[in-house]
Amino acid sequence: QVQLVESGGGVVQSGGSLRLSCAASGFTFSTYGMHWVRQAPGKGLEWVAFIRYDGSNKYYGDSVKGRFTISRDNSKNTLYLQMNSLRAEDTAVYYCAKDRSGGQYYFDYWGQGTLVTVSS
Amino acid sequence: DIQMTQSPSTLSASVGDRVTITCRASQTISTWLAWYQQRPGRAPKLLIYKASSLESGVPSRFSGSGSGTEFTLTISSLQPDDFATYYCQQYDTYSTFGGGTKVEIK
């Protein structure tokens, strides 16, 4: 069965950096696009970033463009999110999510999420 | 950017009720719309994609309709497991979620 397990969350000071990981199993990771989606405490969902199955294309939401970098290692079945210049408004649960197919930007499997708290 | 507006933001209903949630897009998105259910402390779960296609394993009491800018999610007979928050999502241009609709017990 498909499993996505995020890690790397924690408390970081404003202006700091953090790298999230998402370990994937139960499907052929190297053939699917992957996303990060976040949810601030008590708030709704916000799409953060997408990476094509082969890593050749990456797209970002406006609020994180220039600060966050999505990447993947298909040999390790792992997705990453490097977060720099963190702000209080980046505090959220970060989910990795599998693209249904063909980069259609909707998500058929989600991880359990990892909490990032940015303290000022 | 495409904005998604859901209504109502909160809905009180009883088991067995028919429930309808509306989602409006700020510009036309054809049928590039998905619906998710999220229970407290859990990840979202895909219910509907392409506006009206039911995800495998999702009960048939859930249905979606609409195209262009107006969409609805209907639960034909609310069950205890259905008390949750529901989000619409456009994927015509990147991705944007609606603000959510919390379905509460009346």
Side-chain angles (χ1 to χ4, degrees), chain B residues 18-38:
Chain B
R18 181 181 181 89
V19 164
T20 299
I21 299 168
T22 298
C23 180
R24 288 189 173 87
S26 60
Q27 62 192 72
T28 183
I29 58 169
S30 184
T31 55
W32 302 120
L33 185 104
W35 290 96
Y36 299 85
Q37 175 194 67
Q38 187 178 33

Side-chain angles (χ1 to χ4, degrees), chain A residues 37 39 43-47 59-60 62 95 100 104-113, chain B residues 1 32 34 36 38 42-46 49 55 87 89-91 94-99:
Chain A
V37 178
Q39 186 170 35
K43 302 296 184 183
L45 300 164
E46 180 187 11
W47 172 76
Y59 301 99
Y60 300 91
D62 287 344
Y95 296 101
R100 166 51 63 83
Q104 289 195 51
Y105 279 58
Y106 70 95
F107 321 120
D108 55 358
Y109 289 95
W110 299 62
Q112 85 288 349
Chain B
D1 290 7
W32 302 120
Y36 299 85
Q38 187 178 33
R42 304 288 298 273
K45 173 187 173 183
L46 178 65
Y49 61 96
E55 175 68 353
Y87 293 94
Q89 177 219 6
Q90 69 81 16
Y91 54 98
Y94 300 119
S95 172
T96 318
F97 290 89

Side-chain angles (χ1 to χ4, degrees), chain A residues 76-97:
Chain A
K76 296 181 178 178
N77 288 349
T78 302
L79 175 72
Y80 302 100
L81 185 68
Q82 177 67 43
M83 305 186 294
N84 297 333
S85 304
L86 283 161
R87 307 165 180 166
E89 55 264 36
D90 295 319
T91 294
V93 173
Y94 285 74
Y95 296 101
C96 66

